[in-house]
Amino acid sequence: MDRDAKRDASAFRVLLDLSEEAKLPVDQLLAGIDVDRDSIYQPYAEIFMWQELAYIERLVERHVRFSLALTAASRVHITTLGTLGYAMLSCRNIFHALQVSADYHSISLWTCEVAAQPHERSVEFLILPHALPAACQHFCAIRGLASLKIWFTEMLGRDIVPTQVTCMIEAPNDAPFYAEFFGCPVQFGSDVYSISFENTLFLEPLRMSDKWAYQRAKIELQGIVDQRRSSFTNRVHDLISFAPKVNHSEETVSETLGISSSTLRRRLREEETTFREVRAETLHSLACVMLLSSTKTVDEVADMLGFSEAASFVRSFKRREGIAPGAWRKQQRQKFT
């Protein structure tokens, strides 16, 4: 997760509005976050990821109920996503819309990683907050669960009830509110955050499907991506993420970017990093997602990431986390149980 990534301020504005409604001291909560309240309410306002996370941390420190995340999600409609939301609404079906959302994940309002697991009669979405600061993980994961429920409902034009919802937090005093929100019982104290929907929903035609509107939105989306991902760090990250098994080198990446190796080194140095650091961080982030979102063995994950042998992957992982990947996966899944 890139804490310095820019993002639309829409979800942040919702948090400010809810704070004011709850009569919380918004100015105190914003202290040191370097956000001008007037500018946040401008139509094209942007913030950094770290600013939203810092605000959520302060809400959690004040023992604000995690159910506030449900209310926050209910106010972030699919149209709140702007061009991305309109692109999703104009898709053929939810499966297509999810593909578009994944393609443009970097400019969405998501803070967590998301992984989908198909089952015989349903599709389960795992919300993976492991890369976030600990104080933000529960709030952001619950908001992510709720967002899927809201967006599926809005895309299909009727109330969509999940087949199952699981939360890692223990059952709170306002547990009935969760069941009312989702329309089904919620399993608390789980080892994962997940929400499942009937698989028949994903190929159902969307009521606002429009291929020409989709094409226009896609052109606009690419412009937004180009603007926000102009840094060389992000461009290198994207190339490696697209094909992690390829043995990327400074030379091959430079050639793909159409610049010399020395220029790439200089540009990355200006951004206070190196090719080796970006590559290692990218592969490690992908490894964490693969370990948490699947049952693949450590050997399989190592192979998917292009390591010549699993032992090299294990050593690399241990340097960053202090423990082996298998033990880390078990620790993360048991973290809040």
Side-chain angles (χ1 to χ4, degrees):
M1 181 204 66
D2 184 0
R3 289 170 60 93
D4 291 324
K6 281 187 176 181
R7 58 197 270 109
D8 185 271
S10 300
F12 191 82
R13 284 195 292 266
V14 168
L15 294 177
L16 295 184
D17 291 344
L18 290 173
S19 298
E20 290 188 337
E21 290 170 21
K23 302 191 183 306
L24 295 173
V26 176
D27 288 334
Q28 291 181 25
L29 293 171
L30 286 173
I33 297 181
D34 194 26
V35 167
D36 179 72
R37 290 182 67 178
D38 292 333
S39 64
I40 283 296
Y41 285 90
Q42 297 301 312
Y44 295 100
E46 292 182 334
I47 58 169
F48 292 104
M49 173 76 82
W50 72 264
Q51 292 172 313
E52 184 171 334
L53 294 178
Y55 193 83
I56 290 172
E57 283 190 69
R58 294 180 182 184
L59 288 176
V60 173
E61 287 172 358
R62 287 184 170 269
H63 303 289
V64 171
R65 291 183 174 183
F66 288 123
S67 56
L68 183 70
L70 301 178
T71 306
S74 71
R75 297 191 185 184
V76 180
H77 303 287
I78 197 163
T79 51
T80 309
L81 301 177
T83 303
L84 177 57
Y86 288 107
M88 292 170 68
L89 284 171
S90 61
C91 285
R92 298 185 300 275
N93 48 49
I94 288 182
F95 179 74
H96 184 203
L98 290 174
Q99 288 181 312
V100 172
S101 178
D103 289 343
Y104 296 98
H105 182 274
S106 64
I107 60 172
S108 70
L109 296 180
W110 283 99
T111 50
C112 303
E113 297 284 353
V114 183
Q117 291 188 348
H119 299 287
E120 184 178 356
R121 297 183 179 178
S122 65
V123 178
E124 178 185 22
F125 294 88
L126 303 177
I127 309 298
L128 308 172
H130 64 281
L132 303 178
C136 300
Q137 291 182 1
H138 290 308
F139 188 98
C140 291
I142 292 170
R143 185 173 62 174
L145 293 175
S147 295
L148 287 176
K149 147 84 173 173
I150 293 294
W151 296 343
F152 284 14
T153 291
E154 292 179 343
M155 281 191 283
L156 289 171
R158 66 179 190 278
D159 186 35
I160 301 299
V161 177
T163 58
Q164 178 178 278
V165 178
T166 71
C167 286
M168 296 177 73
I169 61 171
E170 296 300 326
N173 293 333
D174 58 350
F177 179 65
Y178 288 73
E180 179 183 355
F181 180 92
F182 288 107
C184 69
V186 176
Q187 178 187 334
F188 293 99
S190 173
D191 59 351
V192 293
Y193 279 105
S194 72
I195 185 167
S196 301
F197 299 92
E198 293 180 0
N199 55 19
T200 55
L201 296 176
F202 294 87
L203 296 180
E204 183 178 327
L206 298 187
R207 61 196 183 107
M208 296 178 67
S209 177
D210 184 324
K211 66 178 182 179
W212 300 115
Y214 168 72
Q215 290 297 332
R216 288 195 299 271
K218 192 172 180 181
I219 292 171
E220 293 179 23
L221 284 172
Q222 193 55 52
I224 297 171
V225 169
D226 292 342
Q227 180 182 2
R228 290 191 185 174
R229 292 204 160 183
S230 59
S231 79
F232 278 82
T233 300
N234 284 332
R235 293 168 71 180
V236 172
H237 169 84
D238 288 347
L239 283 173
I240 295 172
S241 295
F242 181 74
K245 194 171 182 177
V246 175
N247 185 23
H248 294 284
S249 67
E250 198 172 69
E251 290 72 25
T252 58
V253 170
S254 300
E255 184 178 351
T256 302
L257 293 176
I259 59 176
S260 67
S261 297
S262 59
T263 298
L264 177 61
R265 285 194 295 273
R266 177 170 56 81
R267 292 298 182 89
L268 291 175
R269 188 166 58 248
E270 290 171 356
E271 296 173 15
E272 300 182 348
T273 189
T274 65
F275 177 83
R276 184 176 180 179
E277 289 172 354
V278 176
R279 183 176 184 274
E281 178 61 36
T282 301
L283 292 179
H284 184 72
S285 297
L286 291 171
C288 290
V289 172
M290 290 178 184
L291 288 167
L292 285 178
S293 64
S294 73
T295 57
K296 294 184 184 300
T297 66
V298 171
D299 285 3
E300 289 172 327
V301 171
D303 179 66
M304 292 174 69
L305 294 175
F307 284 87
S308 58
E309 55 182 11
S312 299
F313 168 58
V314 171
R315 286 194 297 272
S316 174
F317 195 93
K318 287 180 71 174
R319 279 197 297 270
R320 288 182 171 270
E321 299 294 341
I323 57 176
W328 179 86
R329 170 157 57 188
K330 182 177 180 180
Q331 181 189 76
Q332 291 296 313
R333 290 182 173 177
Q334 295 178 344
K335 195 170 183 179
F336 300 106
T337 59

